[in-house]
Amino acid sequence: MYAQWTSRLTGAVVWTSTPSGSAAGPVLPDGCMDLLWNEGRLLVAGPDTHAHVTPDGASDWAGLRFYPGTAPALLGVPAHELCDRRVLLANLRPAAEVRRLTAQVNAAADPASGLEEVALRWAAATEPPDPLLRRLVTALDSGRPVAAVADELGLGARQLHRRSLASFGYAPKTLARVLRLQRALTLARAGVPFAETATRSGFADQAHLARDVRELAGMPLSRLLARSG
């Protein structure tokens, strides 16, 4: 069973996942990174470029999903170094710090709230996120072309590419594609017909939507909706 709620950390989401007896759906690319708890360990999920399938097993998970582009500054590692990876926090932060944080999360009322406290303390000790990153996400999520967005933000193509890799783990066009997929899924899950979903979310047509879903999610849209319903 999966549940999520808005975090006290701006733009973030706290979530939990517990065994339900049925196979878990794939974790789809969304431009985000997560701080994870599983079986007493702390991990980090990097940005995905394709569906990530969680291994079967009766194991509880908790996580805090950071707003796109904000996690690298808190973790001190460029997003592209963690692309399509799940790594132990101990591989990214000093061992003594990770032992202390792990003990605090395990001693919390629940792991999800413990993770949120860790993220809030990191944020309080870090410079605020670059507002340009949120403007970039908002512009690309509106379906605007990458070149037009670069001009609006006053960035050259190479600079935008470099900053996008460091902050999101993706090139700008890949980030735009991932955000477009998420727009389409929101509409399709709300019952919008697939052809209308394709048009409203920025695809050329329904066939284009179908191809992207297969490539990014690893299965047809109808099957994906059935598994996540």
Side-chain angles (χ1 to χ4, degrees):
M1 180 178 177
Y2 177 85
Q4 69 174 42
W5 57 95
T6 302
S7 171
R8 288 177 287 150
L9 179 65
T10 301
V13 172
V14 184
W15 58 268
T16 59
S17 179
T18 57
S20 61
S22 58
V27 178
L28 302 181
D30 57 8
C32 299
M33 295 173 60
D34 293 54
L35 178 63
L36 307 172
W37 173 93
N38 174 249
E39 297 183 339
R41 304 173 302 158
L42 299 184
L43 306 93
V44 173
D48 292 319
T49 60
H50 53 76
H52 173 81
V53 179
T54 302
D56 293 334
S59 181
D60 292 344
W61 288 81
L64 183 135
R65 183 172 304 116
F66 297 96
Y67 185 80
T70 60
L74 302 181
L75 294 169
V77 60
H80 63 82
E81 293 187 8
L82 300 178
C83 199
D84 292 317
R85 298 176 61 198
R86 271 66 179 157
V87 301
L88 292 170
L89 183 62
N91 293 338
L92 306 176
R93 310 281 288 208
E97 177 190 4
V98 174
R99 285 195 297 270
R100 174 174 54 80
L101 295 177
T102 301
Q104 291 174 356
V105 173
N106 288 331
D110 59 84
S113 63
L115 292 175
E116 186 175 32
E117 289 298 331
V118 169
L120 286 167
R121 286 198 294 273
W122 282 349
T126 307
E127 291 293 322
D130 184 347
L132 181 144
L133 298 178
R134 186 176 288 269
R135 290 171 57 197
L136 175 58
V137 172
T138 300
L140 292 178
D141 198 25
S142 71
R144 295 191 51 72
V146 171
V149 172
D151 288 341
E152 291 170 6
L153 298 178
L155 296 175
R158 289 185 179 180
Q159 187 180 14
L160 178 61
H161 184 87
R162 184 171 60 252
R163 295 187 68 165
S164 184
L165 285 179
S167 299
F168 307 104
Y170 311 136
K173 289 186 177 180
T174 302
L175 176 61
R177 189 182 182 209
V178 165
L179 295 174
R180 183 177 61 189
L181 171 70
Q182 290 295 328
R183 294 197 302 274
L185 292 176
T186 297
L187 292 170
R189 286 168 176 154
V192 177
F194 290 177
E196 183 181 348
T197 289
T199 300
R200 289 174 56 182
S201 53
F203 290 88
D205 50 32
Q206 187 174 340
H208 184 198
L209 167 64
R211 288 195 302 272
D212 254 29
V213 172
R214 279 184 176 274
E215 290 179 14
L216 295 173
M219 64 182 69
L221 181 55
S222 56
R223 182 180 167 199
L224 179 62
L225 295 179
R227 293 194 62 170
S228 61

